[in-house]
Amino acid sequence: MPLPSSPRGAQLARHTVVHQLAIRGRPFEAAKPVAAELASNAVRHGHVPGRNFRLTLRLAPGGLLRVEVSDACAERLPRAPGAGAEPDDESGRGLALVAAFADRWGTEVGPEPRKTVWAELDRVG
C-alpha cells in the first residue's frame, strides 16, 4: 500500500496494521509500535519530495508477521539500535523499540533508489 511521505502517512500505516490484524482476529499490540516506528522513520529519514513510501504486510499461516516499509532513499540506511547515540539524544532510539517488539529486523536495498526496512514477529495469533 503506497502512503504519503508525511506524518499523516505514518499514522495511516499504524492504523492499517491494527485494522488488518484486527479483522483477521490477530493480536496487534506488538505490531502497532513496530509499524509506527518503521513508517515514522521512512517519513523522517527516507523522505524524497514527490515520492510515497510503501507499507507491505505479510502474514504466514503459522502466525509469522512481516512488516515492510520501503522508501526512495537507499543512501540512508538505519543504524543498529544505540549505534552512535548519546544518552541525552532526543532521537535515534526508535529501532531499539522495533528490536524490543520484533524477533528480527533488517534492511534490503534495491532496486535503486529503494530501501526496505523490515521486521518480523514470530507469533501473531
Side-chain angles (χ1 to χ4, degrees):
M1 155 184 275
L3 294 164
S5 188
S6 67
R8 177 72 177 137
Q11 183 181 36
L12 287 170
R14 185 182 76 237
H15 288 305
T16 298
V17 169
V18 169
H19 177 74
Q20 290 299 316
L21 291 174
I23 64 173
R24 288 166 175 76
R26 305 293 179 110
F28 54 79
E29 291 78 10
K32 182 178 176 180
V34 168
E37 187 58 38
L38 294 182
S40 176
N41 283 351
V43 169
R44 179 179 283 168
H45 305 293
H47 175 76
V48 173
R51 298 280 183 104
N52 293 332
F53 72 91
R54 177 172 289 280
L55 169 70
T56 304
L57 303 175
R58 300 173 198 271
L59 185 58
L64 172 76
L65 174 68
R66 183 174 169 114
V67 179
E68 299 177 354
V69 175
S70 302
D71 63 50
C73 197
E75 65 274 5
R76 295 197 63 194
L77 295 176
R79 295 184 308 201
E86 297 296 324
D88 294 334
D89 284 352
E90 291 184 21
S91 65
R93 295 189 186 91
L95 287 175
L97 178 74
V98 170
F101 282 99
D103 294 293
R104 287 165 299 289
W105 74 272
T107 60
E108 297 171 1
V109 176
E112 290 295 330
R114 187 171 65 192
K115 162 188 79 220
T116 300
V117 182
W118 55 267
E120 292 179 340
L121 293 86
D122 284 338
R123 301 287 298 161
V124 179

